[in-house]
Amino acid sequence: MIRNTDIANEISFLEDSLQRVKSELKKLRKRVPEGAGLRAARHGNTYQYFMKVQGSGTNGI
């Protein structure tokens, strides 16, 4: 049986996580130029991310 305190703790944890994500997103928006696109490419077991800005190369930076 799920207790109300467990639900309240989970809600609190998720709200805190959401605030951290929003904070990181706000920081990233300051660094990324307006109209830039993001491209992800699989590289082995990981991904590489490229930011494509108008006028940059075909792959981005």
Side-chain angles (χ1 to χ4, degrees):
M1 176 178 262
I2 299 175
R3 295 178 289 190
N4 286 341
T5 55
D6 293 337
I7 294 172
N9 288 340
E10 186 68 18
I11 289 171
S12 178
F13 172 76
L14 292 172
E15 286 174 340
D16 290 343
S17 297
L18 179 60
Q19 288 304 316
R20 284 193 304 273
V21 168
K22 284 181 177 181
S23 175
E24 286 298 314
L25 182 58
K26 191 180 273 189
K27 290 177 190 176
L28 287 172
R29 282 188 178 148
K30 290 178 183 178
R31 293 177 39 201
V32 176
E34 189 70 31
L38 182 67
R39 184 175 77 87
R42 189 168 181 98
H43 189 262
N45 292 332
T46 62
Y47 286 89
Q48 290 181 328
Y49 299 95
F50 300 93
M51 181 174 53
K52 182 142 173 75
V53 182
Q54 272 186 322
S56 66
T58 57
N59 290 328
I61 55 173

